[in-house]
Amino acid sequence: MKNLTLKTPRGNYTVYVGNVLFLSDVIKKELFSNRKVFVVFDENVPTEFVYNIKNALKRANSDVFLHNFSSGEENKNLESVLKIASKAFEVGITRKDVFFAVGGGVVSDVVGFLSSVYMRGVGFYCVPTTLLSAVDACVGGKNGVDLPEGKNLIGTFYNPEAVFCDTAAFASLNERDIKNALGECVKYALIDGGKLWKYFIDISLNPPENNDYRHIISDNQLTEKLIFACLSVKKRFVEKDQFDKGERAVLNLGHTVGHAIEAMSDYKLSHGECVAKGIVQELRASVNMGFTDKSVLTDVISIFETLGISTDNPFLAEDEIEYIYVDKKRAGDSINIPVIISPGEYEIKNIGISEYKEFLCRL
Ligand code: NAD
């Protein structure tokens, strides 16, 4: 088992990464007893996994309530928040009690947001069950829900009390769910430039037989290492910039364009698929602006191709700009864009949106 502790202005929290964590005493250690626990779990998480959590919580002397969440980005909205809040109120969840988010990034964003506003703030714990939420969404304190106008437009900054990342949860993920996470992993590799970047370059040079990436989740040690490596990069930025006012913006690499593509696809393309497309398109724009050497773009495209992740974009850059205008990161007519100079070297550039459009449109 690996541990990573994150510092926040309101105290520290630990991310536990291991296999069959829910059979260990780690929950008992973190959870004060005699608190009611309202567990919101994604409907696609295997029942056995949910029951392991329930039993672990009971061993920690907690009253447990289970609430089934209908999966999908289309349910990441205020309606879901209100539904869960009413249920929680009905069973008597008060300020001294806690929420457990058991699912992917959608469940942790919704439950993280609800926890920050329910009775003006209650504790919450995160149990990421997708690889994407394990390598990214489970830490950093950002949460929120979508509006019809765009993604994550309602939300707060609110950290969990602990994150229990149990790799046993990933056994039921399909190929698309695994690949979904790899776009974010490549983002962290580009930002870090160290061992993680080398890992992906090695994969592109020596791909596994039949491009089978299930080994990433079937080899527990490899899964733990990958999660730990990504979260360690994220930790560096979120600890310095809790409220996303400066350097943390680099974590948005691929997300300005990625969020636009996600909304334009009516959320039929997944977050991770859009981030991969967004990384390539944003890198191409920064090559066009003269900030990035073309070899970086070529390496990234080759990594995604080897991983079997499509970087084709079905939408026109001209149309994406309309969505970039409603992006939270916009300030007036300009936007902060993270630019990778070379792997491990980056800058945040403030660019006029109409000027950026020119560079996005150019091939
Ligand atoms: P998701 O939560 O929709 O999960 C993807 C799919 O996997 C869903 O169909 C879900 O039902 C299913 N699933 C979940 N666990 C499973 C399991 N163990 N076995 C089988 N199926 C399972 O999506 P995601 O890719 O995990 O996360 C994407 C969301 O996270 C987006 O809304 C994105 O904006 C958000 N996000 C937030 C942050 C953050 O810092 N807050 C960071 C990255 C992404």
Side-chain angles (χ1 to χ4, degrees):
M1 183 169 67
K2 287 178 180 291
N3 295 351
L4 187 73
T5 297
L6 280 93
K7 295 193 193 95
T8 85
R10 290 166 65 187
N12 301 346
Y13 66 95
T14 301
V15 183
Y16 299 88
V17 186
N19 189 245
V20 286
L21 276 183
F22 290 101
L23 303 178
S24 76
D25 277 341
V26 69
I27 299 217
K28 208 166 174 178
K29 185 181 141 208
E30 278 285 342
L31 202 72
F32 306 103
S33 54
N34 301 322
R35 284 161 114 190
K36 286 184 191 151
V37 182
F38 195 84
V39 178
V40 180
F41 65 96
D42 185 294
E43 61 182 350
N44 291 326
V45 174
T47 313
E48 191 193 341
F49 187 79
V50 177
Y51 274 98
N52 280 344
I53 295 176
K54 187 178 173 185
N55 292 336
L57 292 172
K58 285 207 170 272
R59 282 200 301 276
N61 292 330
S62 304
D63 278 342
V64 189
F65 302 90
L66 296 179
H67 181 86
N68 189 324
F69 184 93
S70 304
S71 79
E73 186 76 31
E74 64 272 25
N75 292 315
K76 188 173 149 179
N77 53 34
L78 283 172
E79 213 181 317
S80 297
V81 172
L82 295 177
K83 207 154 106 186
I84 302 167
S86 293
K87 273 282 167 210
F89 187 76
E90 198 180 300
V91 299
I93 299 295
T94 64
R95 285 180 90 169
K96 71 174 185 44
D97 302 318
V98 293
F99 284 97
F100 252 63
V102 181
V106 165
V107 172
S108 58
D109 274 5
V110 168
V111 176
F113 174 62
L114 169 62
S115 308
S116 74
V117 291
Y118 184 84
M119 299 195 176
R120 301 209 171 86
V122 294
F124 94 102
Y125 291 78
C126 188
V127 182
T129 63
T130 62
L131 192 57
L132 183 133
S133 56
V135 297
D136 190 11
C138 67
V139 307
K142 278 190 188 178
N143 58 49
V145 294
D146 304 335
L147 288 182
E149 289 80 1
K151 261 187 77 90
N152 300 333
L153 292 178
I154 305 276
T156 60
F157 288 94
Y158 198 68
N159 288 296
E161 294 192 8
V163 176
F164 304 112
C165 182
D166 190 332
T167 57
F170 307 139
S172 48
L173 295 177
N174 60 32
E175 193 185 335
R176 189 176 179 204
D177 293 327
I178 301 165
K179 286 184 179 169
N180 198 18
L182 298 179
E184 296 279 8
C185 296
V186 171
K187 175 190 87 176
Y188 283 115
L190 267 168
I191 295 169
D192 185 50
K195 277 189 194 159
L196 196 54
W197 175 247
K198 189 173 172 310
Y199 169 73
F200 282 107
I201 288 287
D202 285 348
I203 281 189
S204 73
L205 297 175
N206 309 297
E209 221 167 289
N210 305 323
N211 284 6
D212 181 6
Y213 293 99
R214 282 207 75 81
H215 73 280
I216 291 180
I217 58 154
S218 50
D219 174 343
N220 282 323
Q221 280 193 347
L222 178 60
T223 321
E224 283 182 21
K225 267 193 196 161
L226 186 64
I227 295 169
F228 202 77
C230 292
L231 293 185
S232 301
V233 180
K234 187 163 185 179
K235 169 185 153 89
R236 267 178 17 218
F237 292 91
V238 298
E239 282 186 345
K240 269 192 262 168
D241 182 14
Q242 285 285 322
F243 300 109
D244 204 6
K245 301 248 183 256
E247 213 183 326
R248 183 173 175 170
V250 74
L251 301 180
N252 292 325
L253 178 69
H255 284 64
T256 304
V257 170
H259 281 166
I261 298 175
E262 210 176 340
M264 289 166 84
S265 79
D266 230 356
Y267 301 103
K268 297 210 169 44
L269 290 172
S270 72
H271 180 74
E273 287 163 345
C274 298
V275 167
K277 293 179 197 304
I279 290 174
V280 168
Q281 215 180 330
E282 289 181 20
L283 273 180
R284 186 170 290 123
S286 66
V287 171
N288 291 338
M289 290 187 279
F291 297 131
T292 310
D293 193 89
K294 198 165 180 199
S295 62
V296 182
L297 174 64
T298 312
D299 282 344
V300 169
I301 292 176
S302 152
I303 290 169
F304 282 137
E305 265 173 14
T306 316
L307 294 170
I309 296 171
S310 165
T311 56
D312 293 343
N313 184 354
F315 303 108
L316 292 174
E318 289 89 320
D319 299 332
E320 286 165 6
I321 287 292
E322 300 307 313
Y323 287 83
I324 292 176
Y325 269 108
V326 294
D327 195 294
K328 295 187 297 306
K329 299 181 285 300
R330 179 177 67 92
D333 283 335
S334 64
I335 189 152
N336 286 332
I337 296 284
V339 160
I340 297 290
I341 311 291
S342 63
E345 200 191 340
Y346 48 81
E347 280 175 27
I348 308 298
K349 301 275 184 194
N350 187 266
I351 304 171
I353 296 183
S354 54
E355 191 190 352
Y356 193 53
K357 179 180 171 183
E358 301 276 306
F359 293 112
L360 273 183
C361 291
R362 217 184 287 165
L363 288 177

